Amino acid sequence: MNSAAWGVMLHADLTTGTFQDVVLPDWLQEGYLGGKGYAAKLLLDLIPERADPLGPDNMLLFLPGPLTGTPAPAMRACVATKSPQTNLFLDSYFGGMFGPEIKYAGYDGLMISGCATEPVVLVVDRDGPRLQPAEALWGLDTLETTRRVKEVLGDEEFKIATIGPAGERQVRYSLICCEFNRQAGRGGAGAVMGSKNLKAVALKGERLVRVHDQSAFDRALDRANKEIRDSAECRSLMASGTAGSVEFANEAGLIPANNFSDGTSSLAKKLGDAGQSRALWLSRAACFGCPIACTQMGAVRTGTYAQMVTDIVEYESAAMLGTNLGIGDARAVAHLTKLCDLLGLDSISTGACVGFAMEAASKGLLAGWAPAEEIADLEFGNIPAAEEVIRMIAAQQGELGRLLSQGVKAAAKTLGPEAERLAQHVKGLEMPAWGPRGAPGMGLAYMTADRGACHQRGFPVGYEATGMEWRGKPVQALSLEGKAELVATLQDYLAGTDCLVKCDFGAMGVAPETYAELLNAATGRNVEASFFDELGRRIWNTTRLFNLREGLDISHEHLPRRFVEEPLPSGPHKGHRITDEDMRTLLADYYQVRDWDAQGRPLKESLIHSGVETDRRVVLTAPMAQNETREA
Amino acid sequence: MQQSRPSVFIRTHFDACTGCQLCQAACSLHMFGGYNPRKSMLTIRRKWENMAHIPVVCEQCASPMCLRACPVQAISRDEKTKVVGIDREKCISCGLCDRYCPLGMIHLDAESGKAFKCDLCDGSPSCVKACPTGALDLITSPIRPGDAAEGQS
């Protein structure tokens, strides 16, 4: 029977340099499907309790899903590991061409453990897996590494995932750059890769991904593609990607300005789709198999950054490295974003760290701590100063670079209580660019997201800022009632479909029934649309078990003090904040909706009810010697 | 010498191409029964990082260099459709057709070693149908097959 899933992963132990094909047990495939589902169960089973995220015991997983590599629109893959920023579960998603290549290489995932003694590249092609020395690549930026790995292997067709200099130095919020320039950005997966001395992974797969029932799959594809064409949200992404969100978020009072001190910015207009289109864009680009093509590629044609090729400055980067730093020049923000990409830094966390430093400097909190020349020009709106700080972070250079490379939570702790009030993070992960003061449901989503402050585990802003209907009633932005149920429901569905692995933008068009139809036709399963909600609930309970085991408790589930104490200075929800009482109400509701106790711990019955697998676990046996791993 | 091209051809528009590779996935499905853009008969050249995407398709040349290079006459033009095709029974996997196609339109199958190329899907190419942006266009030539002299189609 054909299936678009292989049921096999590759385990590479970098300490011993050995490889092993791991056959996935049926119960794992049935109960956890792929992508995020596998991430949840495998990290729980395979990482020893309280393991050092930057030590050899941590696992680094690259996980596509059953539909990745097929033309089902639009599929991605994820990186999963224990985060060095939060010490908790981390999944970070990426598009491009690397995810499908894992499938073409014949695998449902790559599991990487151990630590190489010297820098290496993991190569997988027709000849099987092997490690190659990478000393010559150490220190190179992400795009140069991608180019050089292909050159060394003598084949342009390899698809590459790589870290930049920041990942090599284990800067806590380093990313993994997946061909082509698609980032597994959040949570520091690049630091984990760097800690393993793994500079890059190069794949060239020759296998065909075959679906179970081609004619049923073709029908489901037609339906999915029609749903995307008919979706106003998808059409908007085709026209201007997420740059269109810049002005929307500004009008809704949700955009971060000057380290989240405000929710509107006069600079937004220049950084949105109109501004970018004029200054930068030349051509559209898509990830593999995607009809949406949300990327607008462009170039800076004149001025200081002339001749630089740039991706669309997507919303998060435009806000975090733009309005959040008081910078309103689209070309400069494109330059700073590209710099983060090349050095291998998450642009969201970097923007949060630089914004933190700018505000700390303005309040005199860095004086006497960092040398005067390091902080002389560190003020909102200063583009060269922002650039310099980013370079210092990646190189862990100077007092300031070393301090900020640990993330805002650790940096604030070093600087003292006054600085802690300027540190915008939840559980150690810096805030993305949607200030929650006018959207308490979003605040709850941040507090409860499994990987820390994240806008992609549930995005109630879509309802709160638009008044869109939920269960037959328009959602009131500032109301607390019903928000816990809204957040948990969104979280479940997104987690369930993150097993496919769907892209959030495709999901704006494709209906749950259609995802079920695609999955059934591709794999021979027989699930209904509600399957994804049930699967998601199982996953949220599984990642919760992992996080509790690793030291999470509910005292960590709160918003940064700024959103609690300082009323929003402008915008439609001017004067609003999320009080301690609000947070308690939201969280109590949420734990109840989730069937967790008052301490946020899943009840035994809720684990059984959601089908969390606690008895059976995945175990890796000792790999064979390298030359015995595969038949020719 | 009768040497004309098929009455239909694929016209490419690089300005509409996003590099999504849906054309290539459709092609590998047509040729091999599964998805892998590496196993397709057309390519997408990328320029300036990922900015420009230039689809390249077999032109079913009026004077095909692959056909001339083949030492065993495994490559021929179909009399009726004018499509340049490969007889895999005759193909000896020497790779000379691939070496002398300047557009790189010959696919050497990694498993069998045999050469494959675009067959225009019996006049209704899967790649054109799969393209979501109109970067691949199916054009029907006003000149009837067989009418055109060499190089004029």
Side-chain angles (χ1 to χ4, degrees), chain A residues 71 101 104 157 205-207 209-210 214 283 286 288-289 297-298 338, chain B residues 18 20-22 29 32-39 49-51 53:
Chain A
E101 205 63 35
Y104 304 141
E157 291 199 15
E206 302 281 356
R207 290 172 192 255
V209 172
R210 289 189 166 94
Q214 189 68 50
S283 167
F288 170 79
M297 293 296 299
K338 181 79 174 269
Chain B
T18 63
C20 75
Q21 302 183 293
L22 281 166
L29 181 68
F32 298 106
Y35 300 114
N36 186 335
R38 181 161 295 117
K39 290 175 174 286
E49 296 181 15
N50 196 28
M51 196 196 304
H53 314 92

PDB file of all heavy atoms in Angstrom, chain A residues 71 101 104 157 205-207 209-210 214 283 286 288-289 297-298 338, chain B residues 18 20-22 29 32-39 49-51 53:
ATOM      1  N   PRO A  71       1.926  18.010  -3.559  1.00  0.00           N
ATOM      2  CA  PRO A  71       1.440  19.353  -3.932  1.00  0.00           C
ATOM      3  C   PRO A  71       0.287  19.839  -3.059  1.00  0.00           C
ATOM      4  O   PRO A  71      -0.329  20.844  -3.398  1.00  0.00           O
ATOM      5  CB  PRO A  71       0.952  19.163  -5.377  1.00  0.00           C
ATOM      6  CG  PRO A  71       1.373  17.806  -5.795  1.00  0.00           C
ATOM      7  CD  PRO A  71       1.583  17.008  -4.558  1.00  0.00           C
ATOM      8  N   GLU A 101      12.541  17.828   0.929  1.00  0.00           N
ATOM      9  CA  GLU A 101      13.714  17.011   0.607  1.00  0.00           C
ATOM     10  C   GLU A 101      13.902  15.865   1.605  1.00  0.00           C
ATOM     11  O   GLU A 101      14.424  14.805   1.251  1.00  0.00           O
ATOM     12  CB  GLU A 101      14.958  17.908   0.564  1.00  0.00           C
ATOM     13  CG  GLU A 101      16.084  17.367  -0.295  1.00  0.00           C
ATOM     14  CD  GLU A 101      15.733  17.241  -1.775  1.00  0.00           C
ATOM     15  OE1 GLU A 101      14.983  18.087  -2.293  1.00  0.00           O
ATOM     16  OE2 GLU A 101      16.209  16.279  -2.391  1.00  0.00           O
ATOM     17  N   TYR A 104      11.847  13.206   0.230  1.00  0.00           N
ATOM     18  CA  TYR A 104      12.434  12.608  -0.977  1.00  0.00           C
ATOM     19  C   TYR A 104      13.646  11.742  -0.627  1.00  0.00           C
ATOM     20  O   TYR A 104      14.025  10.861  -1.393  1.00  0.00           O
ATOM     21  CB  TYR A 104      12.815  13.695  -1.995  1.00  0.00           C
ATOM     22  CG  TYR A 104      11.647  14.583  -2.373  1.00  0.00           C
ATOM     23  CD1 TYR A 104      11.791  15.959  -2.558  1.00  0.00           C
ATOM     24  CD2 TYR A 104      10.365  14.047  -2.536  1.00  0.00           C
ATOM     25  CE1 TYR A 104      10.718  16.762  -2.890  1.00  0.00           C
ATOM     26  CE2 TYR A 104       9.282  14.846  -2.860  1.00  0.00           C
ATOM     27  CZ  TYR A 104       9.463  16.200  -3.030  1.00  0.00           C
ATOM     28  OH  TYR A 104       8.389  16.996  -3.345  1.00  0.00           O
ATOM     29  N   GLU A 157      22.156  20.465  -6.581  1.00  0.00           N
ATOM     30  CA  GLU A 157      20.815  19.998  -6.243  1.00  0.00           C
ATOM     31  C   GLU A 157      20.611  19.639  -4.782  1.00  0.00           C
ATOM     32  O   GLU A 157      19.489  19.362  -4.373  1.00  0.00           O
ATOM     33  CB  GLU A 157      20.458  18.793  -7.126  1.00  0.00           C
ATOM     34  CG  GLU A 157      20.276  19.194  -8.570  1.00  0.00           C
ATOM     35  CD  GLU A 157      19.505  18.149  -9.346  1.00  0.00           C
ATOM     36  OE1 GLU A 157      18.874  17.282  -8.719  1.00  0.00           O
ATOM     37  OE2 GLU A 157      19.559  18.196 -10.574  1.00  0.00           O
ATOM     38  N   GLY A 205      17.453  13.835  -2.168  1.00  0.00           N
ATOM     39  CA  GLY A 205      16.619  12.633  -2.146  1.00  0.00           C
ATOM     40  C   GLY A 205      16.159  12.234  -3.532  1.00  0.00           C
ATOM     41  O   GLY A 205      15.785  13.080  -4.341  1.00  0.00           O
ATOM     42  N   GLU A 206      16.197  10.940  -3.795  1.00  0.00           N
ATOM     43  CA  GLU A 206      15.830  10.439  -5.123  1.00  0.00           C
ATOM     44  C   GLU A 206      14.515   9.669  -5.107  1.00  0.00           C
ATOM     45  O   GLU A 206      14.111   9.096  -6.110  1.00  0.00           O
ATOM     46  CB  GLU A 206      16.920   9.499  -5.651  1.00  0.00           C
ATOM     47  CG  GLU A 206      18.304  10.117  -5.758  1.00  0.00           C
ATOM     48  CD  GLU A 206      18.455  10.989  -6.999  1.00  0.00           C
ATOM     49  OE1 GLU A 206      17.511  11.035  -7.798  1.00  0.00           O
ATOM     50  OE2 GLU A 206      19.522  11.624  -7.130  1.00  0.00           O
ATOM     51  N   ARG A 207      13.878   9.604  -3.936  1.00  0.00           N
ATOM     52  CA  ARG A 207      12.663   8.784  -3.877  1.00  0.00           C
ATOM     53  C   ARG A 207      11.435   9.573  -4.285  1.00  0.00           C
ATOM     54  O   ARG A 207      11.394  10.783  -4.182  1.00  0.00           O
ATOM     55  CB  ARG A 207      12.473   8.250  -2.462  1.00  0.00           C
ATOM     56  CG  ARG A 207      13.503   7.191  -2.087  1.00  0.00           C
ATOM     57  CD  ARG A 207      13.390   6.856  -0.622  1.00  0.00           C
ATOM     58  NE  ARG A 207      14.515   6.080  -0.187  1.00  0.00           N
ATOM     59  CZ  ARG A 207      14.454   4.759   0.059  1.00  0.00           C
ATOM     60  NH1 ARG A 207      13.324   4.110  -0.080  1.00  0.00           N
ATOM     61  NH2 ARG A 207      15.522   4.112   0.438  1.00  0.00           N
ATOM     62  N   VAL A 209       7.535  10.412  -3.599  1.00  0.00           N
ATOM     63  CA  VAL A 209       6.472  10.353  -2.601  1.00  0.00           C
ATOM     64  C   VAL A 209       5.187   9.988  -3.336  1.00  0.00           C
ATOM     65  O   VAL A 209       4.732  10.714  -4.220  1.00  0.00           O
ATOM     66  CB  VAL A 209       6.327  11.696  -1.864  1.00  0.00           C
ATOM     67  CG1 VAL A 209       5.100  11.692  -0.967  1.00  0.00           C
ATOM     68  CG2 VAL A 209       7.587  11.979  -1.039  1.00  0.00           C
ATOM     69  N   ARG A 210       4.638   8.818  -2.985  1.00  0.00           N
ATOM     70  CA  ARG A 210       3.434   8.330  -3.661  1.00  0.00           C
ATOM     71  C   ARG A 210       2.263   8.382  -2.702  1.00  0.00           C
ATOM     72  O   ARG A 210       2.404   8.047  -1.527  1.00  0.00           O
ATOM     73  CB  ARG A 210       3.637   6.898  -4.131  1.00  0.00           C
ATOM     74  CG  ARG A 210       4.598   6.749  -5.288  1.00  0.00           C
ATOM     75  CD  ARG A 210       4.547   5.311  -5.806  1.00  0.00           C
ATOM     76  NE  ARG A 210       5.190   5.172  -7.098  1.00  0.00           N
ATOM     77  CZ  ARG A 210       6.468   4.800  -7.243  1.00  0.00           C
ATOM     78  NH1 ARG A 210       7.203   4.524  -6.178  1.00  0.00           N
ATOM     79  NH2 ARG A 210       6.999   4.703  -8.451  1.00  0.00           N
ATOM     80  N   GLN A 214      -4.557   8.113  -5.797  1.00  0.00           N
ATOM     81  CA  GLN A 214      -4.228   9.301  -6.587  1.00  0.00           C
ATOM     82  C   GLN A 214      -5.464  10.077  -7.039  1.00  0.00           C
ATOM     83  O   GLN A 214      -5.492  11.310  -6.964  1.00  0.00           O
ATOM     84  CB  GLN A 214      -3.381   8.918  -7.815  1.00  0.00           C
ATOM     85  CG  GLN A 214      -2.809  10.108  -8.560  1.00  0.00           C
ATOM     86  CD  GLN A 214      -1.745  10.861  -7.750  1.00  0.00           C
ATOM     87  OE1 GLN A 214      -0.808  10.268  -7.218  1.00  0.00           O
ATOM     88  NE2 GLN A 214      -1.900  12.174  -7.629  1.00  0.00           N
ATOM     89  N   SER A 283       9.593  40.971  -7.500  1.00  0.00           N
ATOM     90  CA  SER A 283       9.113  39.695  -8.025  1.00  0.00           C
ATOM     91  C   SER A 283       8.571  38.821  -6.895  1.00  0.00           C
ATOM     92  O   SER A 283       9.057  38.886  -5.777  1.00  0.00           O
ATOM     93  CB  SER A 283      10.283  38.981  -8.714  1.00  0.00           C
ATOM     94  OG  SER A 283       9.969  37.645  -8.963  1.00  0.00           O
ATOM     95  N   ALA A 286       7.688  31.692  -4.043  1.00  0.00           N
ATOM     96  CA  ALA A 286       6.900  30.748  -3.254  1.00  0.00           C
ATOM     97  C   ALA A 286       7.799  29.693  -2.636  1.00  0.00           C
ATOM     98  O   ALA A 286       8.874  29.389  -3.139  1.00  0.00           O
ATOM     99  CB  ALA A 286       5.873  30.056  -4.148  1.00  0.00           C
ATOM    100  N   PHE A 288       8.086  25.562  -1.735  1.00  0.00           N
ATOM    101  CA  PHE A 288       7.700  24.421  -2.559  1.00  0.00           C
ATOM    102  C   PHE A 288       6.188  24.165  -2.469  1.00  0.00           C
ATOM    103  O   PHE A 288       5.599  24.151  -1.392  1.00  0.00           O
ATOM    104  CB  PHE A 288       8.426  23.138  -2.120  1.00  0.00           C
ATOM    105  CG  PHE A 288       7.853  21.925  -2.810  1.00  0.00           C
ATOM    106  CD1 PHE A 288       8.209  21.634  -4.116  1.00  0.00           C
ATOM    107  CD2 PHE A 288       6.902  21.121  -2.192  1.00  0.00           C
ATOM    108  CE1 PHE A 288       7.641  20.551  -4.780  1.00  0.00           C
ATOM    109  CE2 PHE A 288       6.331  20.038  -2.852  1.00  0.00           C
ATOM    110  CZ  PHE A 288       6.708  19.757  -4.149  1.00  0.00           C
ATOM    111  N   GLY A 289       5.583  24.001  -3.635  1.00  0.00           N
ATOM    112  CA  GLY A 289       4.200  23.536  -3.700  1.00  0.00           C
ATOM    113  C   GLY A 289       3.155  24.529  -3.248  1.00  0.00           C
ATOM    114  O   GLY A 289       2.018  24.140  -3.008  1.00  0.00           O
ATOM    115  N   MET A 297      10.060  39.221  -3.442  1.00  0.00           N
ATOM    116  CA  MET A 297      11.507  39.432  -3.443  1.00  0.00           C
ATOM    117  C   MET A 297      11.793  40.810  -4.019  1.00  0.00           C
ATOM    118  O   MET A 297      11.070  41.307  -4.865  1.00  0.00           O
ATOM    119  CB  MET A 297      12.208  38.374  -4.295  1.00  0.00           C
ATOM    120  CG  MET A 297      12.136  36.966  -3.756  1.00  0.00           C
ATOM    121  SD  MET A 297      12.972  36.713  -2.172  1.00  0.00           S
ATOM    122  CE  MET A 297      14.679  37.133  -2.580  1.00  0.00           C
ATOM    123  N   GLY A 298      12.873  41.390  -3.557  1.00  0.00           N
ATOM    124  CA  GLY A 298      13.196  42.713  -4.068  1.00  0.00           C
ATOM    125  C   GLY A 298      14.653  43.045  -3.880  1.00  0.00           C
ATOM    126  O   GLY A 298      15.459  42.194  -3.496  1.00  0.00           O
ATOM    127  N   LYS A 338      17.981  41.307   6.894  1.00  0.00           N
ATOM    128  CA  LYS A 338      18.903  40.455   6.136  1.00  0.00           C
ATOM    129  C   LYS A 338      20.148  40.150   6.968  1.00  0.00           C
ATOM    130  O   LYS A 338      20.673  39.024   6.942  1.00  0.00           O
ATOM    131  CB  LYS A 338      19.286  41.165   4.834  1.00  0.00           C
ATOM    132  CG  LYS A 338      20.235  40.390   3.917  1.00  0.00           C
ATOM    133  CD  LYS A 338      19.494  39.336   3.129  1.00  0.00           C
ATOM    134  CE  LYS A 338      20.363  38.634   2.111  1.00  0.00           C
ATOM    135  NZ  LYS A 338      20.378  39.246   0.781  1.00  0.00           N
TER     136      LYS A 338
ATOM    137  N   THR B  18       6.865  31.782  -9.724  1.00  0.00           N
ATOM    138  CA  THR B  18       7.239  32.011  -8.322  1.00  0.00           C
ATOM    139  C   THR B  18       8.222  30.969  -7.810  1.00  0.00           C
ATOM    140  O   THR B  18       8.622  30.998  -6.653  1.00  0.00           O
ATOM    141  CB  THR B  18       5.992  31.958  -7.409  1.00  0.00           C
ATOM    142  OG1 THR B  18       5.435  30.639  -7.477  1.00  0.00           O
ATOM    143  CG2 THR B  18       4.940  32.980  -7.836  1.00  0.00           C
ATOM    144  N   CYS B  20       7.537  27.776  -7.383  1.00  0.00           N
ATOM    145  CA  CYS B  20       6.847  26.873  -6.443  1.00  0.00           C
ATOM    146  C   CYS B  20       7.039  25.397  -6.776  1.00  0.00           C
ATOM    147  O   CYS B  20       6.789  24.531  -5.951  1.00  0.00           O
ATOM    148  CB  CYS B  20       5.357  27.199  -6.372  1.00  0.00           C
ATOM    149  SG  CYS B  20       4.396  26.642  -7.803  1.00  0.00           S
ATOM    150  N   GLN B  21       7.434  25.101  -7.993  1.00  0.00           N
ATOM    151  CA  GLN B  21       7.734  23.729  -8.420  1.00  0.00           C
ATOM    152  C   GLN B  21       6.512  22.819  -8.543  1.00  0.00           C
ATOM    153  O   GLN B  21       6.669  21.604  -8.643  1.00  0.00           O
ATOM    154  CB  GLN B  21       8.765  23.075  -7.481  1.00  0.00           C
ATOM    155  CG  GLN B  21      10.071  23.841  -7.406  1.00  0.00           C
ATOM    156  CD  GLN B  21      11.099  23.140  -6.544  1.00  0.00           C
ATOM    157  OE1 GLN B  21      10.942  23.028  -5.333  1.00  0.00           O
ATOM    158  NE2 GLN B  21      12.156  22.653  -7.157  1.00  0.00           N
ATOM    159  N   LEU B  22       5.319  23.386  -8.528  1.00  0.00           N
ATOM    160  CA  LEU B  22       4.144  22.528  -8.737  1.00  0.00           C
ATOM    161  C   LEU B  22       4.180  21.886 -10.121  1.00  0.00           C
ATOM    162  O   LEU B  22       3.718  20.758 -10.304  1.00  0.00           O
ATOM    163  CB  LEU B  22       2.855  23.338  -8.549  1.00  0.00           C
ATOM    164  CG  LEU B  22       2.458  23.580  -7.088  1.00  0.00           C
ATOM    165  CD1 LEU B  22       1.388  24.661  -6.976  1.00  0.00           C
ATOM    166  CD2 LEU B  22       1.970  22.285  -6.432  1.00  0.00           C
ATOM    167  N   LEU B  29       4.972  13.103 -11.384  1.00  0.00           N
ATOM    168  CA  LEU B  29       3.816  12.206 -11.239  1.00  0.00           C
ATOM    169  C   LEU B  29       3.470  11.586 -12.596  1.00  0.00           C
ATOM    170  O   LEU B  29       3.243  10.382 -12.695  1.00  0.00           O
ATOM    171  CB  LEU B  29       2.611  12.988 -10.688  1.00  0.00           C
ATOM    172  CG  LEU B  29       1.347  12.161 -10.466  1.00  0.00           C
ATOM    173  CD1 LEU B  29       1.542  11.170  -9.319  1.00  0.00           C
ATOM    174  CD2 LEU B  29       0.138  13.058 -10.188  1.00  0.00           C
ATOM    175  N   PHE B  32       6.708   9.248 -13.544  1.00  0.00           N
ATOM    176  CA  PHE B  32       7.153   8.163 -12.656  1.00  0.00           C
ATOM    177  C   PHE B  32       6.116   7.729 -11.628  1.00  0.00           C
ATOM    178  O   PHE B  32       6.366   6.836 -10.833  1.00  0.00           O
ATOM    179  CB  PHE B  32       8.442   8.583 -11.928  1.00  0.00           C
ATOM    180  CG  PHE B  32       9.591   8.852 -12.850  1.00  0.00           C
ATOM    181  CD1 PHE B  32      10.011  10.146 -13.100  1.00  0.00           C
ATOM    182  CD2 PHE B  32      10.251   7.807 -13.486  1.00  0.00           C
ATOM    183  CE1 PHE B  32      11.075  10.407 -13.952  1.00  0.00           C
ATOM    184  CE2 PHE B  32      11.316   8.055 -14.342  1.00  0.00           C
ATOM    185  CZ  PHE B  32      11.732   9.355 -14.583  1.00  0.00           C
ATOM    186  N   GLY B  33       4.964   8.401 -11.599  1.00  0.00           N
ATOM    187  CA  GLY B  33       3.906   7.961 -10.684  1.00  0.00           C
ATOM    188  C   GLY B  33       4.056   8.419  -9.254  1.00  0.00           C
ATOM    189  O   GLY B  33       3.421   7.866  -8.353  1.00  0.00           O
ATOM    190  N   GLY B  34       4.904   9.408  -9.016  1.00  0.00           N
ATOM    191  CA  GLY B  34       5.051   9.926  -7.650  1.00  0.00           C
ATOM    192  C   GLY B  34       5.639  11.324  -7.699  1.00  0.00           C
ATOM    193  O   GLY B  34       6.019  11.818  -8.763  1.00  0.00           O
ATOM    194  N   TYR B  35       5.715  11.947  -6.503  1.00  0.00           N
ATOM    195  CA  TYR B  35       6.173  13.336  -6.440  1.00  0.00           C
ATOM    196  C   TYR B  35       7.643  13.434  -6.060  1.00  0.00           C
ATOM    197  O   TYR B  35       8.074  12.891  -5.050  1.00  0.00           O
ATOM    198  CB  TYR B  35       5.347  14.117  -5.415  1.00  0.00           C
ATOM    199  CG  TYR B  35       3.871  14.164  -5.726  1.00  0.00           C
ATOM    200  CD1 TYR B  35       2.939  13.544  -4.893  1.00  0.00           C
ATOM    201  CD2 TYR B  35       3.401  14.815  -6.868  1.00  0.00           C
ATOM    202  CE1 TYR B  35       1.580  13.592  -5.177  1.00  0.00           C
ATOM    203  CE2 TYR B  35       2.044  14.869  -7.156  1.00  0.00           C
ATOM    204  CZ  TYR B  35       1.137  14.253  -6.311  1.00  0.00           C
ATOM    205  OH  TYR B  35      -0.195  14.295  -6.595  1.00  0.00           O
ATOM    206  N   ASN B  36       8.407  14.110  -6.888  1.00  0.00           N
ATOM    207  CA  ASN B  36       9.772  14.519  -6.580  1.00  0.00           C
ATOM    208  C   ASN B  36      10.218  15.436  -7.715  1.00  0.00           C
ATOM    209  O   ASN B  36      10.456  14.971  -8.826  1.00  0.00           O
ATOM    210  CB  ASN B  36      10.715  13.312  -6.462  1.00  0.00           C
ATOM    211  CG  ASN B  36      12.115  13.743  -5.994  1.00  0.00           C
ATOM    212  OD1 ASN B  36      12.525  14.892  -6.184  1.00  0.00           O
ATOM    213  ND2 ASN B  36      12.851  12.821  -5.395  1.00  0.00           N
ATOM    214  N   PRO B  37      10.302  16.739  -7.430  1.00  0.00           N
ATOM    215  CA  PRO B  37      10.602  17.694  -8.513  1.00  0.00           C
ATOM    216  C   PRO B  37      11.929  17.400  -9.209  1.00  0.00           C
ATOM    217  O   PRO B  37      12.134  17.819 -10.353  1.00  0.00           O
ATOM    218  CB  PRO B  37      10.637  19.048  -7.799  1.00  0.00           C
ATOM    219  CG  PRO B  37      10.719  18.749  -6.339  1.00  0.00           C
ATOM    220  CD  PRO B  37      10.116  17.394  -6.136  1.00  0.00           C
ATOM    221  N   ARG B  38      12.815  16.684  -8.514  1.00  0.00           N
ATOM    222  CA  ARG B  38      14.092  16.318  -9.132  1.00  0.00           C
ATOM    223  C   ARG B  38      13.878  15.362 -10.310  1.00  0.00           C
ATOM    224  O   ARG B  38      14.717  15.256 -11.188  1.00  0.00           O
ATOM    225  CB  ARG B  38      14.975  15.665  -8.063  1.00  0.00           C
ATOM    226  CG  ARG B  38      16.327  15.258  -8.522  1.00  0.00           C
ATOM    227  CD  ARG B  38      17.272  15.066  -7.371  1.00  0.00           C
ATOM    228  NE  ARG B  38      17.499  16.322  -6.689  1.00  0.00           N
ATOM    229  CZ  ARG B  38      17.172  16.557  -5.427  1.00  0.00           C
ATOM    230  NH1 ARG B  38      16.626  15.606  -4.705  1.00  0.00           N
ATOM    231  NH2 ARG B  38      17.415  17.730  -4.890  1.00  0.00           N
ATOM    232  N   LYS B  39      12.780  14.645 -10.296  1.00  0.00           N
ATOM    233  CA  LYS B  39      12.513  13.664 -11.351  1.00  0.00           C
ATOM    234  C   LYS B  39      11.521  14.224 -12.363  1.00  0.00           C
ATOM    235  O   LYS B  39      10.616  13.537 -12.806  1.00  0.00           O
ATOM    236  CB  LYS B  39      11.975  12.376 -10.724  1.00  0.00           C
ATOM    237  CG  LYS B  39      13.045  11.630  -9.933  1.00  0.00           C
ATOM    238  CD  LYS B  39      12.447  10.444  -9.223  1.00  0.00           C
ATOM    239  CE  LYS B  39      13.516   9.622  -8.557  1.00  0.00           C
ATOM    240  NZ  LYS B  39      14.332   8.834  -9.484  1.00  0.00           N
ATOM    241  N   GLU B  49      19.722  35.213  -5.687  1.00  0.00           N
ATOM    242  CA  GLU B  49      19.171  34.484  -4.534  1.00  0.00           C
ATOM    243  C   GLU B  49      17.884  33.791  -4.983  1.00  0.00           C
ATOM    244  O   GLU B  49      17.934  32.923  -5.823  1.00  0.00           O
ATOM    245  CB  GLU B  49      19.007  35.420  -3.337  1.00  0.00           C
ATOM    246  CG  GLU B  49      20.384  35.935  -2.891  1.00  0.00           C
ATOM    247  CD  GLU B  49      20.365  36.855  -1.704  1.00  0.00           C
ATOM    248  OE1 GLU B  49      19.362  36.927  -0.990  1.00  0.00           O
ATOM    249  OE2 GLU B  49      21.400  37.519  -1.473  1.00  0.00           O
ATOM    250  N   ASN B  50      16.744  34.175  -4.446  1.00  0.00           N
ATOM    251  CA  ASN B  50      15.511  33.483  -4.861  1.00  0.00           C
ATOM    252  C   ASN B  50      14.568  34.453  -5.557  1.00  0.00           C
ATOM    253  O   ASN B  50      13.361  34.301  -5.502  1.00  0.00           O
ATOM    254  CB  ASN B  50      14.841  32.875  -3.627  1.00  0.00           C
ATOM    255  CG  ASN B  50      13.804  31.835  -3.986  1.00  0.00           C
ATOM    256  OD1 ASN B  50      13.906  31.185  -5.029  1.00  0.00           O
ATOM    257  ND2 ASN B  50      12.794  31.691  -3.168  1.00  0.00           N
ATOM    258  N   MET B  51      15.140  35.489  -6.212  1.00  0.00           N
ATOM    259  CA  MET B  51      14.279  36.539  -6.743  1.00  0.00           C
ATOM    260  C   MET B  51      13.640  36.172  -8.073  1.00  0.00           C
ATOM    261  O   MET B  51      12.434  36.300  -8.244  1.00  0.00           O
ATOM    262  CB  MET B  51      15.056  37.846  -6.893  1.00  0.00           C
ATOM    263  CG  MET B  51      14.112  39.043  -7.056  1.00  0.00           C
ATOM    264  SD  MET B  51      14.894  40.523  -7.681  1.00  0.00           S
ATOM    265  CE  MET B  51      16.201  40.805  -6.508  1.00  0.00           C
ATOM    266  N   HIS B  53      12.817  33.484 -11.181  1.00  0.00           N
ATOM    267  CA  HIS B  53      12.641  32.066 -11.457  1.00  0.00           C
ATOM    268  C   HIS B  53      12.359  31.925 -12.940  1.00  0.00           C
ATOM    269  O   HIS B  53      11.394  32.483 -13.442  1.00  0.00           O
ATOM    270  CB  HIS B  53      11.481  31.507 -10.650  1.00  0.00           C
ATOM    271  CG  HIS B  53      11.505  31.950  -9.212  1.00  0.00           C
ATOM    272  ND1 HIS B  53      10.840  33.071  -8.781  1.00  0.00           N
ATOM    273  CD2 HIS B  53      12.154  31.453  -8.133  1.00  0.00           C
ATOM    274  CE1 HIS B  53      11.064  33.234  -7.486  1.00  0.00           C
ATOM    275  NE2 HIS B  53      11.856  32.280  -7.072  1.00  0.00           N
TER     276      HIS B  53
END
